[in-house]
Amino acid sequence: MQSTSLGRLDVPRIGLGVMGMSAYYTGAGRDGAESIRTIRRAVDLGVTHLDTAEVYGPYVNEELLGRAIKGRRDEVVLATKFGLVSHTGRPGPDSTPASIHTAVDGSLRRLGTDRIDLYYQHRVDPNTPIEETVGALRDLVEAGKVLHIGLSEAAATTVRRAHAVHPVAAVQSEYSLWTRDPEAEVLPTLRELGIGLVPYAPLGHGFLTGDIRTLDGLDAADWRRSNPRFTGDNLTRNLRIVDQVREVADEVGATPAQVALAWLLAQGDGIAPIPGTKRIDRLEENSAADGIRLTPGQIARLNNLTPASGERHAEPDMAAVDQ
Ligand SMILES: NC(=O)c1ccc[n+]([C@@H]2O[C@H](COP(=O)([O-])OP(=O)(O)OC[C@H]3O[C@@H](n4cnc5c(N)ncnc54)[C@H](OP(=O)(O)O)[C@@H]3O)[C@@H](O)[C@H]2O)c1
């Protein structure tokens, strides 16, 4: 597995998002043993950039990850996030220094570690100036509890303000063949400032793999059932995108998931997607995308895919991004 840099943090080019092992998706949490085996296999394969958050579950996803890496802490890059759980009793997102100081100790305990490699603000808190939040994160770096800091779904201007207080290693935002939003402002700003981009949902929450053509296989509680891109006519229209990805995949001798990841890696250095899966076979498939090279012609075709129908999040979640 080749590596890349997020600021001064080296990570493998492909990581593993563990969120879906406990939250949001069909079957989440049903078989913790399979999830733990998948995480351990990831470490064996060099997929050592492991991404979770306090709010996944909440808490249980960090606990699961902590159990899985027991005895192997030094082999992995642990990334987690704060800010969507308030520890001060305030409603809504809470990135006040008081809440962060409580949050970090909980995450360290659940992950079974004395340091978090990459600690992200999960969403920008409109009621707390970013300078205050990053000042608290700088204190955590000085205390050795956190090694690098990140933001998630932050606007370019917020990234600049944060970076002026303490170097930001990475911004984690949704970026994939059907969500190109970061290309307009965020990605150029990150390049200018030497900050990495961690694309979340790089497989379009599973849609770009071609495995989801109807909602029939998803549980009643699956988050995607209420996502605009997975519902009604949008779902039918968006299947055209997957069919186009599959055409390229067939040419390359790869799977659509691998093409979706290889396209992200082809966007340049400092980009480290974190596809999520509970399954070892899919982990192996996704990590093998590191070795797939797309031709300029294939990249151009993928750049010109039919645009996605539907917003990438339902309201009010859309209101919380690009702040
Ligand atoms: N910062 C944020 O706000 C934010 C938001 C969302 C997610 N994230 C992070 O990003 C990570 C990844 O995002 P995500 O899980 O939402 O979406 P994703 O990685 O785009 O897709 C995950 C889905 O695809 C399926 N899948 C994975 N590999 C596959 C393959 N090769 N073939 C067929 N299906 C495959 C998974 O199912 P199985 O598990 O059944 O394989 C799961 O349903 C999360 O784990 C989380 O750490 C961050």
Side-chain angles (χ1 to χ4, degrees):
M1 174 68 64
Q2 299 168 76
S3 62
T4 193
S5 299
L6 306 172
R8 278 185 239 124
L9 175 65
D10 288 339
V11 292
R13 294 207 302 171
I14 294 179
L16 176 66
V18 307
M19 175 191 85
M21 295 176 179
S22 313
Y24 295 102
Y25 296 144
T26 299
R30 249 187 229 154
D31 184 359
E34 182 186 13
S35 294
I36 285 178
R37 281 195 301 275
T38 301
I39 294 168
R40 291 182 179 156
R41 177 72 180 136
V43 181
D44 291 340
L45 288 173
V47 180
T48 51
H49 175 201
L50 306 174
D51 187 86
T52 180
E54 173 187 46
V55 77
Y56 300 157
Y59 310 128
V60 293
N61 194 241
E62 287 185 330
E63 287 166 357
L64 176 89
L65 181 53
R67 282 201 301 282
I69 59 154
K70 202 166 187 296
R72 303 189 72 176
R73 168 65 185 95
D74 293 344
E75 296 174 60
V76 301
V77 173
L78 276 184
T80 191
K81 317 182 193 78
F82 67 89
L84 291 181
V85 176
S86 174
H87 297 282
T88 66
R90 195 172 108 157
D94 189 343
S95 286
T96 56
S99 193
I100 294 171
H101 281 287
T102 303
V104 73
D105 289 337
S107 289
L108 287 168
R109 191 181 62 252
R110 289 184 291 276
L111 290 166
T113 183
D114 59 354
R115 74 225 181 258
I116 293 163
D117 296 290
L118 180 52
Y119 199 37
Y120 294 97
Q121 181 191 43
H122 208 147
R123 286 290 181 275
V124 173
D125 173 359
N127 299 311
T128 307
I130 194 71
E131 289 80 2
E132 252 181 58
T133 298
V134 177
L137 293 175
R138 184 183 51 204
D139 293 344
L140 296 181
V141 172
E142 282 166 9
K145 293 183 180 183
V146 166
L147 301 188
H148 302 269
I149 70 164
L151 306 177
S152 178
E153 292 281 11
T157 49
T158 307
V159 175
R160 260 181 215 288
R161 285 169 54 199
H163 196 66
V165 177
H166 184 84
V168 174
V171 169
Q172 182 177 133
S173 290
E174 184 169 350
Y175 185 35
S176 70
L177 282 170
W178 76 347
T179 300
R180 307 278 297 275
D181 310 30
E183 290 174 4
E185 289 183 15
V186 172
L187 193 48
T189 302
L190 302 187
R191 297 244 186 261
E192 178 197 327
L193 299 176
I195 300 171
L197 177 64
V198 174
Y200 80 73
L203 305 175
H205 307 286
F207 190 77
L208 297 168
T209 70
D211 262 34
I212 303 174
R213 297 194 72 89
T214 74
L215 300 183
D216 291 348
L218 304 183
D219 277 352
D222 193 297
W223 170 86
R224 290 166 288 201
R225 284 188 175 275
S226 58
N227 180 284
R229 290 189 178 172
F230 286 82
T231 39
D233 292 344
N234 288 340
L235 177 72
T236 314
R237 277 195 288 267
N238 287 332
L239 288 173
R240 176 75 193 119
I241 300 172
V242 182
D243 294 340
Q244 290 167 309
V245 177
R246 189 178 287 284
E247 280 169 27
V248 174
D250 288 346
E251 263 176 46
V252 177
T255 66
Q258 290 173 326
V259 166
L261 295 169
W263 175 84
L264 279 170
L265 297 179
Q267 305 309 306
D269 285 340
I271 295 187
I274 45 167
T277 181
K278 300 184 284 294
R279 291 172 40 170
I280 287 182
D281 56 342
R282 291 176 170 176
L283 164 81
E284 291 173 347
E285 174 188 334
N286 297 344
S287 65
D290 182 47
I292 288 170
R293 297 282 167 277
L294 301 170
T295 65
Q298 288 161 344
I299 292 171
R301 275 159 60 203
L302 293 166
N303 285 340
N304 292 315
L305 289 177
T306 308
S309 289
E311 293 277 27
R312 62 195 178 92
H313 287 298
E315 289 293 346
D317 291 344
M318 271 312 279
V321 302
D322 200 31
Q323 293 290 308

